[in-house]
C-alpha cells in the first residue's frame, strides 16, 4: 500500500525560500522515505546512520560536506550536530555570491534531541525551515485531502463511512507507516511494536538521552502510556516507576523531544487564577500506547475501561497532524477550573483572536450537556467561535446553533 503524504506541498513551497530544510519526527514515521520520494534525481543522499560516513563527518566536516555537495539529503543529522556551523558557512557563502542557488541546498532529517535543536537555533536561524512529520493521519490512510482542523471549516466530503468497530481498529493499529503498509498488519502488530521499542530504547534513549537503566525507563513508558489523556502528575509517575520526581520530569522531556508524547497546556485568560496550571499528556501514536498497556486486540480495546482515553488521544493526535501536514503549529490548549466539581473542555483551538472549544466523547448520543462548559469561555475577553462535539454519532449535524457534532471517524 502506498500512501501520499499531505506534507509534500508545504515542504516544497518552503524549499523555494529556505536554504536548509529539517524534517524531524519520531523513529520510523517515514522521514527518509518521504524525502527520497519527493527529491529530484539531482539530489544526492547520504546517511549518518552509516558508521563510516558518521566518523568522516565528525573527523573532517569540511571534507564530508565537500564530498556531498548540494543539493543533498543528509539523513540522521542528530548523530553529528557539529556539522551545523559548517553548513552555515557554506550557505552564507552561496547566499552572498550566487543567491539564486541558495534555496533548497540541504534537506536534513533527524530525531529531535537537545543537541540537535540547540545546533539549529545557534547556527542556522533564519536559514532553515523546520517541519515535523507524524505517522500517517487518518485522512492520509483513506486518501482524502486534509485542512487544519477547525469546526467552522470542517468538511466531510469524500470521507468514507466507518463503524465504531472500524475506528477502534485504526486506533489500535496506530499510524506507523511500516506497519500500516504491511499485509495483514494485525498479525504483525505485536512483533512490530516489540521491535520498535527495543530499537527506540537502545538507540535513542540509551545513546542520545544517556539513560543507563532501560528497564526502569521502559516501566516509565508503560506508566505514561496508561495516563495518556490525563493531567500530568509527576509524583504518581515517579511512585509507580520507583524513581524520583526530577527523574520523572527528565524522562517525560525525553518522550517529548523524541516525539513519543506531547503536552497540552491549560488555557489562561484574565481569570487564570480560577484555572489549573497542570498540562495534560498525550501519546502521539495510539498503537504504541495500546501495546504498552497490553490491549492486544481492537475488540478488547473498544470495550475496555480505557477506550475513552484512547479515543481522546487519537482525536488530539489527528488534530495536531492536520496542522503539521500543512507546515503549521496550532495554538491548542485545554480548559479546567480548580473547583471541587471542575468545568473542563478537552481541547481549545485559538485562531484570529477566537476560541474554538472541542469536547470528545465515546458515545453516539446527541446531548447538549456534553458541551455545557463551553459557556465558561465567555468571560475570557476573546470571541468564542463554532464549537464541536467529536463523538461516534454517524453524521455531521448541529447540536446547538454554535456547536457542531462531528463524527470522530471523519477527522
Amino acid at each position: 500500500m502506498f500512501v501520499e503524504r499531505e506534507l509534500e506541498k508545504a515542504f516544497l513551497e518552503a524549499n523555494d525560500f529556505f536554504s536548509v530544510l529539517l524534517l524531524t519526527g519520531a523513529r520510523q514515521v517515514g522521514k527518509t522515505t518521504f524525502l527520497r520520494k519527493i527529491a529530484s534525481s539531482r539530489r544526492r543522499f547520504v546517511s549518518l546512520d552509516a558508521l563510516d560516513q558518521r566518523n568522516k563527518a565528525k573527523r573532517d566536516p569540511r571534507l564530508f560536506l565537500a564530498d556531498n555537495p548540494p543539493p543533498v539529503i543528509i539523513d540522521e543529522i542528530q548523530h553529528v550536530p557539529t556539522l551545523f556551523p559548517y553548513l552555515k558557512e557554506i550557505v552564507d557563502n552561496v547566499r552572498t555570491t550566487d543567491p539564486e542557488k541558495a534555496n533548497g541546498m540541504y534537506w536534513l532529517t533527524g530525531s529531535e534531541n537537545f543537541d540537535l535543536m540547540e545546533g539549529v537555533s545557534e547556527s542556522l536561524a533564519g536559514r532553515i525551515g523546520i517541519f515535523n512529520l507524524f505517522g500517517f493521519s487518518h485522512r492520509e490512510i483513506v486518501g482524502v485531502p486534509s485542512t487544519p482542523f477547525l469546526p467552522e471549516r470542517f468538511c466531510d466530503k469524500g470521507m468514507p463511512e466507518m463503524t465504531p468497530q472500524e475506528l477502534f481498529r485504526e486506533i489500535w493499529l496506530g499510524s506507523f507507516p511500516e506497519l500500516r503498509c504491511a499485509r495483514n498488519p494485525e498479525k504483525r502488530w505485536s512483533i512490530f511494536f516489540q521491535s520498535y521499542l527495543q530499537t527506540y530504547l537502545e538507540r535513542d534513549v540509551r545513546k542520545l538521552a544517556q539513560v543507563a537503566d532501560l528497564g526502569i525507563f521502559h516501566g516509565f513508558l508503560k506508566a505514561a502510556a496508561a495516563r495518556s489523556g490525563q493531567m500530568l502528575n509527576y509524583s504518581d509517575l515517579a511512585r509507580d516507576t520507583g524513581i524520583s520526581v526530577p527523574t520523572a520530569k527528565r524522562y517525560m522531556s525525553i518522550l517529548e523531544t523524541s516525539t513519543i508524547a506531547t503536552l497540552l497546556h491549560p488555557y489562561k485568560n484574565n481569570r487564570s487564577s480560577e484555572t489549573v496550571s497542570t498540562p495534560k499528556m498525550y501519546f502521539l501514536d495510539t498503537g504504541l500506547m495500546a501495546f504498552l498497556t497490553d490491549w492486544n486486540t481492537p475488540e478488547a480495546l473498544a470495550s475496555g475501561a480505557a477506550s475513552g482515553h484512547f479515543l481522546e488521544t487519537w482525536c488530539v493526535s489527528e488534530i495536531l497532524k492536520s496542522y503539521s501536514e500543512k507546515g503549521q503549529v496550532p495554538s491548542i490548549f485545554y480548559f479546567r477550573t480548580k473547583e471541587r466539581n471542575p468545568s473542563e473542555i478537552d481541547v481549545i483551538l485559538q485562531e484570529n483572536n477566537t476560541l474554538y472549544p472541542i469536547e470528545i466523547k465515546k458515545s453516539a448520543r446527541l446531548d447538549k450537556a456534553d458541551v455545557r462548559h463551553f459557556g465558561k469561555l465567555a468571560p475570557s475577553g476573546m470571541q468564542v467561535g463554532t464549537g464541536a462535539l467529536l463523538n461516534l454519532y454517524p453524521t455531521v449535524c448541529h447540536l446547538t446553533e454554535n456547536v457542531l457534532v462531528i463524527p470522530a471517524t471523519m477527522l
Side-chain angles (χ1 to χ4, degrees), residues 34 39 51 80 252 298 315 328:
F34 169 70
L51 281 175
V80 193
M252 182 55 65
C315 288
Q328 300 178 26

Side-chain angles (χ1 to χ4, degrees), residues 333-344:
F333 312 92
Y334 83 102
F335 177 88
R336 183 183 173 96
T337 61
K338 294 179 179 177
E339 303 158 335
R340 177 173 294 182
N341 295 311
S343 300
E344 183 169 358

